[in-house]
Amino acid sequence: MQNIIEAIDKLASEKPEAVAYQSETETFSYQILRQWSNSLAYFLNQHVAAEKPIVVFGELEFEMIASFLGSVKSGHAYIPIESNTPLDRIQLILEVAQPAMILSVLPWPAEIPLEIPVLTPTDLAEVFNSEQEPIELQPVSEDETFYIIFTSGTTGVPKGVQISHKNLLSFTNWDLKDFGIKTGMRFLSQAPYSFDLSVMSVYPALCSGGTLVPVEKSVINDFKKLFEFLPKLALEVWVSTPSFIDICLMEKTFDGEHVPSLKIFQFCGEELTRKTAKELLTRFPNAKIFNTYGPTEATVAMTQIEVTDELLTTYDRVPIGYIKEDTEVLIYDGDQEVSEGEAGEIIIKGPSVSKGYMHNPEKTAAAFFEIDGVPAYHTGDAGRLHVDGLLLYEGRIDFQVKLHGFRIELEDIDHHLEKVSYVKQATVVPKYQNHKVQQLVAYVVVNDNDFEKAYQLTKAIKEELGEGVMEYMIPQKFIYVEHLPLTANGKIDRKRLINEVNS
Ligand code: AMP
């Protein structure tokens, strides 16, 4: 495949009635996907200045997918924003991104005053269904930015990772080749589109004539509904974080006997523990189970390994796998490559490495560089590369963590926590179990206040913090202290607190 947009449109010509998206209540064909995205592209071409990106606001609706494709067909990168994002965070994203337009698949929060034009859900539906005059379009191609995904930033301002058409193409071609995906399979679409894990469902499905099958948050949050729902979906390709499958495995009947359609499991985004991997092998003996690894900055994932009983007896941590063909991994100690087999920082070099963070030259320069003219990225992950090319993961070298698959910079939470009116100083640390973060613990020095009980204070702090950060970034436990420990050079000693909560 040479071009993502052309590949999806070709499928619409060859098999117009094939199902591109099927939710509980709605079914959309490839033909509709092409029609809607074309109508939107013609509209954007006439109404929106070139260059600037387009924000697409909603959850897992089909209109989100049609908006993504409409944007890139008209030459604009798109930025997915989940509708439950706190207003302050949306503001920060808009300040960085300076989008040309907002396509609101779900109603845009009225509290945000804007100069940027917003298409309401009704306007958008009208555009999709309108007869627009076909015009020559210049879709996003090569190194032009296809999408921008915002991730947690250490300064409290989210970083926009810019992924080009070339980056996405490199990822999608690999994903369609290395995992046994065949034409017309049914893919679980569970991760919000603002997380790059969702890309592992969207483009492999749409470029292989497959069907996206969304499982919305309202279902996930109601386990009874979720467990009734899952077997009915006839899913063939499962894409999720290990944390999500852990929830599903709570249901005893979630196995190959009751859900025989499942053939391929792809996990990414956080440690796949041996316990989860073992349970999956027992429950789904006829499926293929893959661990994959990669940061958003290198387009979703770039290593993979099939989990087998033998693998689990050989390694005490599930390896993150073999590197995709067009990419290279180097292990660095600072700026120097280490000797073979030694531990150090994982550096990714290849065509799926992003051009950097949007409008953020400082952070871009700190993490991205070139090796022999090829883009390279400092992952901040510690790892070890075996002689046979197998990559092993050994944690982080900084204070980024994964909680239930969500990527969080602890400094991002500290920053927003210290802005809370009751807080004088704060540091957040992770509590681990089996190499996975179970809980975030906040150590807080508070200002004088009138709360009688600590839980009342905690409730008030959590409420105020929730205005600035995503719900998953709110610490589960608060410990109130007189002062925070300092290192010899006067910085807050986070490592000491990490040892304290994990001892
Ligand atoms: P994200 O950008 O949200 O995809 O997060 C990327 C980070 O998640 C990586 O840098 C790793 O720290 C972690 N990660 C991703 N996949 C795995 C995996 N299979 N095992 C362990 N950690 C992972």
Side-chain angles (χ1 to χ4, degrees), residues 196 269-271 291-292 294-296 320 381 393 396 402 407:
D196 89 327
E270 60 179 347
E271 180 110 7
N291 187 23
T292 78
T296 304
I320 51 181
D381 289 319
Y393 179 78
R396 294 288 303 175
K402 279 296 178 99
R407 171 169 159 176

Side-chain angles (χ1 to χ4, degrees), residues 151 195-197 267-272 291-297 300 318 320 379-381 393 395-396 400 402 405-407:
T151 72
F195 291 96
D196 89 327
L197 179 62
F267 295 104
C268 191
E270 60 179 347
E271 180 110 7
L272 175 65
N291 187 23
T292 78
Y293 155 87
T296 304
E297 287 85 341
V300 193
V318 182
I320 51 181
T379 60
D381 289 319
Y393 179 78
R396 294 288 303 175
Q400 180 184 301
K402 279 296 178 99
F406 297 114
R407 171 169 159 176

Side-chain angles (χ1 to χ4, degrees), residues 190-476:
Q190 175 265 327
Y193 295 137
S194 47
F195 291 96
D196 89 327
L197 179 62
S198 65
V199 173
M200 201 176 234
S201 303
V202 174
Y203 292 100
L206 295 182
C207 293
S208 62
T211 304
L212 285 167
V213 182
V215 176
E216 298 271 1
K217 263 190 233 126
S218 54
V219 176
I220 295 169
N221 294 337
D222 179 343
F223 289 174
K224 193 166 170 279
K225 202 166 168 196
L226 174 69
F227 299 145
E228 275 171 17
F229 193 57
L230 278 177
K232 296 185 188 146
L233 302 178
L235 293 169
E236 294 172 283
V237 184
W238 182 280
V239 177
S240 84
T241 56
S243 291
F244 183 61
I245 201 82
D246 281 341
I247 295 177
C248 298
L249 289 171
M250 283 166 24
E251 170 59 39
K252 296 268 174 308
T253 63
F254 183 63
D255 58 21
E257 195 185 317
H258 296 87
V259 197
S261 57
L262 273 172
K263 298 184 179 70
I264 300 167
F265 287 85
Q266 290 176 294
F267 295 104
C268 191
E270 60 179 347
E271 180 110 7
L272 175 65
T273 62
R274 289 179 69 207
K275 185 165 174 268
T276 302
K278 224 175 170 46
E279 186 68 26
L280 279 164
L281 284 177
T282 312
R283 298 253 197 132
F284 293 92
N286 299 322
K288 284 182 174 293
I289 297 154
F290 294 95
N291 187 23
T292 78
Y293 155 87
T296 304
E297 287 85 341
T299 321
V300 193
M302 29 63 67
T303 72
Q304 62 81 13
I305 190 159
E306 187 179 345
V307 176
T308 58
D309 284 320
E310 196 196 341
L311 189 82
L312 297 185
T313 39
T314 316
Y315 295 94
D316 58 359
R317 250 173 125 163
V318 182
I320 51 181
Y322 297 99
I323 298 139
K324 73 185 169 79
E325 222 175 8
D326 62 5
T327 299
E328 210 183 316
V329 160
L330 302 133
I331 306 291
Y332 273 24
D333 177 7
D335 287 337
Q336 294 298 312
E337 206 175 334
V338 301
S339 321
E340 218 166 59
E342 271 186 37
E345 185 186 9
I346 298 174
I347 305 291
I348 304 170
K349 173 191 168 198
S352 56
V353 171
S354 154
K355 65 184 86 166
Y357 303 115
M358 187 177 201
H359 299 150
N360 195 337
E362 210 174 293
K363 294 270 175 216
T364 299
F368 294 90
F369 63 116
E370 280 192 357
I371 305 172
D372 305 328
V374 180
Y377 172 66
H378 280 278
T379 60
D381 289 319
R384 206 182 281 270
L385 192 56
H386 267 200
V387 193
D388 66 354
L390 187 63
L391 189 61
L392 306 177
Y393 179 78
E394 299 192 349
R396 294 288 303 175
I397 61 172
D398 58 8
F399 297 121
Q400 180 184 301
V401 295
K402 279 296 178 99
L403 178 62
H404 309 313
F406 297 114
R407 171 169 159 176
I408 305 168
E409 299 286 354
L410 295 174
E411 293 103 317
D412 191 358
I413 312 179
D414 297 352
H415 175 90
H416 288 279
L417 200 47
E418 289 192 343
K419 280 192 175 165
V420 170
S421 54
Y422 312 104
V423 174
K424 192 181 278 173
Q425 214 184 9
T427 292
V428 176
V429 295
K431 191 168 161 55
Y432 291 94
Q433 195 180 19
N434 292 332
H435 305 297
K436 271 182 90 164
V437 179
Q438 294 301 310
Q439 212 182 32
L440 295 175
V441 181
Y443 280 81
V444 182
V445 182
V446 286
N447 292 316
D448 290 341
N449 61 72
D450 297 330
F451 293 105
E452 281 178 14
K453 301 267 192 295
Y455 77 85
Q456 295 164 326
L457 173 64
T458 303
K459 186 165 173 273
I461 293 177
K462 282 186 175 180
E463 255 171 37
E464 213 178 302
L465 180 63
E467 291 167 19
V469 301
M470 300 296 286
E471 206 184 325
Y472 58 78
M473 291 163 83
I474 300 175
Q476 287 71 33

